[in-house]
Amino acid sequence: MSELRHPIGTFDVLTPDSRRWETLVGVFARVVEGAGYGLVLTPTFEDLSVFQRVGASTDIVRKEMYDFEDKGGRRIALRPEMTASVVRAYIQHRPTTPWKAWYVGSNFRYESPQAGRYREFHQVGIEAFGAVDADLDVEVIALGWEFYRALGLRRIQLLVNSLGDATCRPPYRALLLEYLEGRRDDLCDEHRERFADNPLRILDCKRPTCHAVAAEAPKQVEHLCDGCATHFARTTGGLDSLGIPWTLATDLVRGLDYYTRTTFEYAGLALQSAQNAVGGGGRYDGLVEEMGGPATPGIGFALGVERILMACDAEGTLPSPPATVDVFVVDFAGGSAARDLTAQLRSAGIRADRAFDGRSPKAQFKSADRSGARLALVVGPDEEAAGTVVVRPMAGDRQQRPVERHRVVAEVSRLLAP
Ligand code: HAM
């Protein structure tokens, strides 16, 4: 039988790596909960229509979605991103606004797998509903920035753009179309025939031909209506005021259809350029209504966990935290002491582990070493008979001494106290 392996484009995370994931999510929760965001959980799969509304002309929805018919004949999709799900949940439950939510979870996109690009990947993110205020744009962008800083990342570049709104996007789109019409022959094969569906996509196309055309195209930021121009100025001014460096990226259109006004991306400068977006987001003031809810503005971002960890590796930050137990019980007197002592220690809030299957003392001490425990509690036949436990520090002078069994939890607590 051939060996079973995880599917292409997916991966397993084992310790010690998984401890970095715990740290990363913990740091994220601390940063965003400190600004009033609360955890939201939504299903990993949704009705296909939830996602069809957010990206009918995007690769993410058109080409990369994992969709299928379930056993009840429903059209289902594994989520390719979480904003649409959170909007669906907002419309369904109508929490009072402003509603500020954060999330962590996996997403599915049928892409060609490579370093930093997976078919199942993970995001942490936030979404905030119910305020048009540009200061909310500043808050959202700043929280992402603060999170990267908290992880120790320093080589992050913040790219910002404005995509206008229902007032200034249509005339800009017409202008762009006219320009692209004139440059049709210079576009890549895919876009030569299809650019009229969504001309903004050309600005995002990575192929060199389109890239050259995009460089000379009219820019949305130069064609904003007064409302969008004021909003953009207040947003970027707010970033300046908070001391967050940002770069205007006029070609930043993002890979989803729902954006209005502010869009942004965080680029990991220590990463390979093709996969260096460690996060991105923007405003989507029309999306809630488009999905059947009451007109409600929204803004948020999602950050890619795998890419952030790659950036951490490249910058030499966020090492795996050390193993977590405090005490390892070595019992070569039958195992009852190990069974009872670990339970007592854990009840007292002390992290404790042990070996099983009557391993030799040597093997048990090896496990104790590997566990990272600061103390070993040793019970051999002599201690068992005397009702004692030998307490042995795992580092330093290793001076060990016997303690009466009924006093051992208190003694361990004393020794571990900071
Ligand atoms: P997105 O730009 O599609 O936006 O994804 C956000 C981040 O997820 C990317 O910057 C990247 O770090 C990570 N990512 C995307 N695709 C992959 C992949 N195949 N493998 C590994 N990492 C990946 C969104 O998903 C929007 N929902 C963001 C948003 C929230 N906009 C408003 N609110």
Side-chain angles (χ1 to χ4, degrees):
M1 207 169 67
S2 66
E3 192 189 340
L4 297 175
R5 296 182 59 81
H6 58 63
I8 292 172
T10 68
F11 51 85
D12 306 307
V13 185
L14 278 59
T15 53
D17 256 11
S18 54
R19 287 201 290 274
R20 301 175 84 199
W21 285 66
E22 291 183 81
T23 307
L24 183 149
V25 175
V27 170
F28 188 75
R30 176 171 58 70
V31 169
V32 298
E33 287 185 351
Y37 291 74
L39 178 64
V40 60
L41 306 171
T42 63
T44 313
F45 61 88
E46 298 269 359
D47 227 76
L48 177 63
S49 59
V50 169
F51 303 113
Q52 276 171 335
R53 308 216 195 159
V54 304
S57 73
T58 64
D59 283 358
I60 293 173
V61 171
R62 278 181 49 244
K63 298 189 194 158
E64 297 168 1
M65 201 131 76
Y66 278 88
D67 55 327
F68 56 94
E69 194 167 289
D70 76 2
K71 294 187 200 309
R74 299 171 199 88
R75 292 294 294 166
I76 295 293
L78 301 185
R79 63 180 175 214
E81 60 111 41
M82 294 168 82
T83 309
S85 299
V86 177
V87 170
R88 198 266 312 134
Y90 170 78
I91 294 170
Q92 187 172 339
H93 303 285
R94 305 280 171 97
T96 48
T97 53
W99 185 54
K100 306 211 289 190
W102 74 271
Y103 51 78
V104 50
S106 54
N107 300 276
F108 306 85
R109 297 183 191 176
Y110 195 81
E111 305 198 73
S112 346
Q114 48 193 287
R117 190 173 288 282
Y118 307 99
R119 290 185 174 166
E120 180 176 5
F121 62 95
H122 298 75
Q123 291 180 338
V124 290
I126 60 175
E127 311 292 347
F129 295 80
V132 288
D133 197 328
D135 288 356
L136 179 59
D137 302 39
V138 177
E139 170 177 302
V140 166
I141 297 172
L143 285 171
W145 184 258
E146 195 190 319
F147 166 64
Y148 294 122
R149 309 286 299 174
L151 292 180
L153 290 170
R154 292 294 173 268
R155 301 194 56 212
I156 301 291
Q157 183 183 29
L158 169 61
L159 304 168
V160 185
N161 192 20
S162 173
L163 292 182
D165 65 2
T167 306
C168 53
R169 178 96 60 90
Y172 166 71
R173 191 176 184 278
L175 195 70
L176 182 61
L177 264 179
E178 197 186 312
Y179 165 79
L180 293 173
E181 201 65 64
R183 301 286 308 264
R184 177 190 287 266
D185 293 344
D186 301 330
L187 296 175
C188 73
D189 290 347
E190 184 194 345
H191 286 128
R192 197 171 306 130
E193 301 310 322
R194 277 201 38 238
F195 69 88
D197 296 354
N198 189 345
L200 261 63
R201 281 278 86 75
I202 312 303
L203 305 181
D204 202 27
C205 180
K206 299 286 178 279
R207 296 186 193 97
T209 42
C210 280
H211 209 65
V213 175
E216 291 159 26
K219 317 288 182 214
Q220 175 76 73
V221 274
E222 287 158 16
H223 298 274
L224 295 176
C225 60
D226 288 351
C228 286
T230 308
H231 189 94
F232 193 59
R234 173 92 191 166
T235 301
T236 51
L239 295 172
D240 290 338
S241 169
L242 298 192
I244 298 175
W246 59 277
T247 304
L248 177 66
T250 54
D251 59 347
L252 182 69
V253 295
R254 314 262 309 121
L256 291 146
D257 280 346
Y258 46 65
Y259 293 108
T260 53
R261 294 194 163 174
T262 314
T263 52
F264 56 95
E265 242 168 53
Y266 305 96
L269 299 181
L271 294 178
Q272 292 282 322
S273 67
Q275 256 66 246
N276 80 348
V278 290
R283 213 168 237 291
Y284 44 86
D285 290 345
L287 182 59
V288 176
E289 199 172 11
E290 223 170 278
M291 287 179 66
T296 312
I299 178 168
F301 64 60
L303 318 177
V305 173
E306 294 79 6
R307 290 195 196 167
I308 294 171
L309 291 175
M310 285 167 67
C312 287
D313 287 339
E315 290 200 37
T317 178
L318 196 70
S320 275
T324 50
V325 296
D326 301 310
V327 176
F328 198 95
V329 181
V330 172
D331 176 347
F332 43 96
S336 307
R339 179 192 62 208
D340 299 346
L341 271 174
T342 47
Q344 283 168 19
L345 290 161
R346 291 168 191 162
S347 299
I350 297 164
R351 296 167 297 182
D353 201 3
R354 54 163 296 189
F356 291 95
D357 292 337
R359 315 268 314 275
S360 70
K362 191 171 162 210
Q364 291 193 46
F365 276 114
K366 219 168 168 182
S367 301
D369 263 333
R370 268 203 302 264
S371 76
R374 283 165 57 196
L375 298 173
L377 300 185
V378 188
V379 183
D382 293 350
E383 288 77 21
E384 183 76 2
T388 58
V389 174
V390 170
V391 178
R392 172 168 163 176
M394 297 297 292
D397 61 5
R398 296 200 177 216
Q399 267 210 348
Q400 58 181 52
R401 59 200 179 82
V403 174
E404 284 169 88
R405 182 80 170 260
H406 68 273
R407 285 190 44 246
V408 77
V409 173
E411 179 61 8
V412 166
S413 302
R414 193 184 67 75
L415 288 171
L416 291 175

